[in-house]
Amino acid sequence: MNIEEVIKEFRSKNYIRALEGLNKLILKDQNSEEKFNLQGVILQLLDKSTEAKQSWQKAIKLNIKYFDPYFNLGNTFMSEMNYSLAEAYYNKASKLQPKNFKIFYQLGFLFMKMRNLKKSCFYFNKSQSLNDNFAPTYYNLGIVLNNLNKRQESISNFEKAINLNPNYTEAFYALGITYREIKKFNLSKDAFLKALKLNPSYPFLKGAIRFIKNNICDWENYEEDLIDLETDIKNNKKVMTPWQGLSLFESPEIQLKNTILFSEKKKHKISSIISKKKITIAYFSADFCEHAVSHQISKILKLHDKNKFEIYGFYLGIKKDTRLKEIKNTFDKFFYISDKSTTEILKLVNDLSVDIAIDLGGFTKSNRYKIFNSRCAPLQVSFLGFAGTTGLTNMDYIIGDTNVILEKNRKFFTENVIYMPNSFMPTNDSQKISEKKVTKIDEGLPENSIVYCCFNKHYKITPQIFDLWIKILNSVEKSILWLNDADDTTQFNIIEYSKKRGLDKNRIYFTKRSKNYEDYLAKHCLADIFLDTSPFSAHSTGCSSLIAGVPIITLQGKSFSNNVSSSLLKAMGISELITKSSSEYVEKAVDLGNNSFKIIEIKEKIKKNFFKESLFNSKLYTKNLEKAFIEIYNNKINNFKLKDIYIS
């Protein structure tokens, strides 16, 4: 076989035959760098990476100015996540061909994997300056810019990629996500639908489309979409993210299956723990800035017993504000890690000898679940941010309670459960309501109205729950529905849906965004009754409602995400507001709405129980949380088998 025949076999993907012929040629002539380079390429395609690298090294030894083996070695080391060697070989290749755009594209990709986003941006821009007709450069630059919170620049690059390649499904999908993040939901939907035309089977696309429609309350084909998505999940298809699944599916079994499909499986790593004077706890979050998570947990972080615990904060976000500054000061040590790779974070946490790592994000926006999937600490706990199982074999515990994780559904959680004694939800009992006097007139509401409100995000509102709201409003004279701030499309869709089902559009009002949390609470006080959503109930919004003294009528379900309001109400000693069926939900809401004395009575009970019951007792909550941490730490020290624990 001559070299032409070898190349022919290679191009026909007959790699073993090509390699056999090439090896015979190399035996006759061991001074051809081109043959050794080709040998390396074929070996790599046959998953023989070690031999491939040896062949490329031989090619370099024969000709130190031969570009191809340097480039190939860079690619191989990058695929093996040996980033330092990959960078070294790419740099050598760039000296040989300084105007080869592919080298700088690969360097951009390399630093994107390393989470060095600014350096990645630099190399992608350099690659683009050498060749402005390569669509993947613009696409990946768009990804990097999005992670740098430069959304408009990100969008511009995705659009350039699409102009160069109109069939670029990945670019349309990424464009849809970016538009969603800046709340341009119609543009997001358009981008997703274009991606769907190109590739109906593209991972997570169908779920993204249904979720974006939920954001604008576009409920056309809602039931059909849910059946279709659930069928796909049962057939092991990746159609939606775990976060989207929480708001669409009531079944904890479907939520678990969907979550497991999303994340890559990792073998369970055994990690030991060393006994020491203080237990080291690391909290990971992208939401230590102004965010619902920071509102819920800030007081608990402040109250931790520093004689027993050393508390570290690991910030995955990039936003910096006053709230971040306040929370940062509550930690013994605080680390900005948004620009660090998973490998770098694992090393940092290991060097700090962290005992218990707490994931406050789960699969929410800006999550870095791979840190926990790769095990960063001997004990790992999922807490607060994601109201469901993570499905990760390396996640040891989830913090819940008997109301959110029902005994009959325990089997759908892969973690061991830490059952808190009251509610799993931490709260800030020192949260103040603005002293600024707010009136219904200020908020544009009718003076003598019964105000039903729901300040949950719009994606939590389903057509089924909205139909119940219409029944309630049509049964209570002078009642109105007060909803969260919404864009024109969302308002139009809600009003049109209401009109078709016999509700006067003038009975629906949309709030304006408050300047700060204290003002938001003051405004909240104007409501008479909070109508909860299902299958994703109010979480931090539910806490806000109770702080403002507004009763929540909730519909208990099966999932963690659906039963958070039930957990809050039980901990407040007002479980009479928890309903078990749609008819009871309507009946309870109508009964309250038609009886102003009952509203006053239940509001008085909420105010009284605010100080009396356990929910808004941050000190007690912190004490119980620390009991849990000490117990799981001692169990680990003593090599006890992991199991559910109940804190009393």
Side-chain angles (χ1 to χ4, degrees), residues 203 360 388 635:
L360 294 172
N635 287 346

Side-chain angles (χ1 to χ4, degrees), residues 428-467:
N428 185 343
D429 57 12
S430 58
Q431 186 63 62
K432 304 292 183 189
I433 300 174
S434 173
E435 293 181 3
K436 189 193 304 180
K437 187 170 176 58
V438 184
T439 66
K440 286 183 178 178
I441 293 171
D442 294 332
E443 292 298 318
L445 304 175
E447 188 67 43
N448 296 316
S449 55
I450 297 296
V451 180
Y452 290 103
C453 81
C454 181
F455 293 149
N456 287 347
K457 295 285 179 63
H458 298 106
Y459 66 78
K460 291 187 178 184
I461 304 173
T462 66
Q464 293 85 357
I465 206 76
F466 201 87
D467 286 343

Side-chain angles (χ1 to χ4, degrees), residues 283 326 383 395 501 576 610:
Y283 286 94
E326 290 171 2
F383 181 33
M395 190 63 77
R501 280 154 180 77
E576 64 265 31
F610 186 91

Side-chain angles (χ1 to χ4, degrees), residues 569-582:
L569 292 169
K570 281 190 179 180
M572 275 289 280
I574 42 175
S575 55
E576 64 265 31
L577 297 176
I578 302 168
T579 64
K580 303 290 176 65
S581 66
S582 296

Side-chain angles (χ1 to χ4, degrees), residues 245-384:
L246 297 186
S247 60
L248 286 170
F249 301 118
E250 168 64 15
S251 164
E253 183 177 7
I254 290 296
Q255 288 184 3
L256 169 61
K257 189 166 180 60
N258 184 52
T259 301
I260 289 174
L261 284 170
F262 178 80
S263 56
E264 57 185 297
K265 290 183 180 178
K266 288 268 188 179
K267 287 185 179 179
H268 189 84
K269 288 169 65 179
I270 297 171
S271 187
S272 60
I273 204 166
I274 300 167
S275 180
K276 50 192 178 186
K277 187 179 177 182
K278 288 185 183 181
I279 299 173
T280 306
I281 299 173
Y283 286 94
F284 288 76
S285 180
D287 303 317
F288 288 136
C289 53
E290 186 65 35
H291 189 274
V293 167
S294 67
H295 281 299
Q296 297 307 123
I297 203 165
S298 57
K299 185 73 179 285
I300 278 62
L301 296 174
K302 197 177 288 186
L303 288 170
H304 267 311
D305 187 343
K306 298 299 179 71
N307 293 315
K308 295 178 181 176
F309 302 93
E310 195 156 6
I311 311 297
Y312 298 160
F314 289 82
Y315 185 45
L316 293 160
I318 57 175
K319 183 180 176 183
K320 294 181 180 179
D321 55 19
T322 306
R323 170 71 64 173
L324 177 67
K325 189 176 179 182
E326 290 171 2
I327 285 186
K328 178 184 173 182
N329 292 332
T330 64
F331 290 104
D332 294 303
K333 292 180 182 177
F334 192 82
F335 303 91
Y336 295 91
I337 58 169
S338 65
D339 61 350
K340 292 187 182 296
S341 67
T342 299
T343 304
E344 289 174 317
I345 294 168
L346 293 174
K347 185 180 184 306
L348 173 62
V349 178
N350 184 63
D351 289 346
L352 290 164
S353 297
V354 168
D355 300 310
I356 304 172
I358 315 291
D359 182 12
L360 294 172
F363 298 105
T364 55
K365 184 182 170 185
S366 301
N367 76 80
R368 295 283 298 276
Y369 77 90
K370 289 182 181 180
I371 298 166
F372 288 83
N373 206 22
S374 301
R375 185 168 290 284
C376 65
L379 288 165
Q380 301 194 144
V381 182
S382 176
F383 181 33
L384 186 62

Side-chain angles (χ1 to χ4, degrees), residues 23-74:
N23 287 343
K24 289 176 183 177
L25 292 174
I26 288 173
L27 278 174
K28 294 177 184 177
D29 176 16
Q30 297 198 15
N31 293 311
S32 171
E33 62 266 33
E34 289 91 350
K35 289 187 181 75
F36 277 114
N37 180 65
L38 180 57
Q39 184 187 52
V41 171
I42 297 170
L43 285 164
Q44 184 65 33
L45 289 167
L46 291 169
D47 291 325
K48 296 182 177 181
S49 180
T50 302
E51 294 97 317
K53 285 182 278 192
Q54 289 169 353
S55 295
W56 289 323
Q57 293 290 1
K58 288 175 185 176
I60 290 169
K61 196 172 182 181
L62 288 167
N63 183 356
I64 60 170
K65 293 186 178 181
Y66 185 25
F67 168 83
D68 288 15
Y70 290 108
F71 190 70
N72 291 331
L73 281 162

